[in-house]
Amino acid sequence: MMDCLFCKIVNNEIPADIVYQDDKVVAFMDINPQAPFHALIIPRKHIATLNDITVADCETVGHLQWVAAKLAAEQGFAEDGYRTVFNCNSHAGQTVYHIHLHLLGGKPLGWPPYQDTLKVNLNN
Ligand code: AMP
Ligand code: ZN
């Protein structure tokens, strides 16, 4: 995928603050962090959205979650808690079309994340 930002990070064509990598995945710090620790964990394989996952990708997608838990433990907030998020398509605010698992931690996180939107939806 020539024009994919995250494929370029996987291929070392653009810089990133990489915190973990192996043969299946790469994890790096988000450039616009929404928590004291905010990393993105991505498959080396280009998959545009969650809707494009096949059964053959399931092990890799599970591996993303395993890496998130490993990073949370290394960062020291596994026991306090943290959040992992996949955004899928426009209603969820996906902006980069190469699936990425957000790992947010290091402080108490509000829930639900978009209270105003939720109220509007419940009232309609
Ligand atoms: P999403 O809205 O779920 O598609 O999330 C995309 C995320 O990628 C956002 O949190 C951005 O801050 C982050 N991001 C965009 N470009 C880069 C980059 N070059 N390096 C690290 N994170 C990035
Ligand atoms: Zn890609």
Side-chain angles (χ1 to χ4, degrees):
M1 278 289 156
M2 299 279 288
D3 291 331
C4 174
L5 180 66
F6 287 175
C7 281
K8 287 178 180 165
I9 289 176
V10 167
N11 295 323
N12 295 310
E13 292 168 16
I14 63 168
D17 181 3
I18 292 174
V19 291
Y20 177 85
Q21 57 184 320
D22 61 26
D23 60 329
K24 293 191 189 72
V25 309
V26 178
F28 51 93
M29 299 307 290
D30 196 295
I31 46 163
N32 185 22
Q34 303 300 313
F37 185 87
H38 184 177
L40 302 174
I41 310 156
I42 70 173
R44 289 186 180 276
K45 176 186 174 184
H46 181 85
I47 302 170
T49 79
L50 285 184
N51 297 335
D52 301 302
I53 290 169
T54 68
V55 71
D57 299 320
C58 289
E59 187 181 339
T60 297
V61 174
H63 195 66
L64 299 175
Q65 293 282 5
W66 177 82
V67 171
K70 175 182 167 61
L71 289 172
E74 286 174 6
Q75 292 296 318
F77 55 71
E79 297 307 318
D80 282 339
Y82 56 92
R83 182 168 298 147
T84 61
V85 177
F86 282 111
N87 291 323
C88 182
N89 281 336
S90 62
H91 279 195
Q94 185 174 2
T95 59
V96 180
Y97 282 80
H98 177 135
I99 62 166
H100 45 281
L101 184 63
H102 293 259
L103 168 62
L104 301 130
K107 69 168 188 179
L109 302 164
W111 187 264
Y114 300 110
Q115 187 71 50
D116 292 345
T117 310
L118 187 64
K119 278 182 190 155
V120 168
N121 289 342
L122 288 173
N123 291 336
N124 284 343

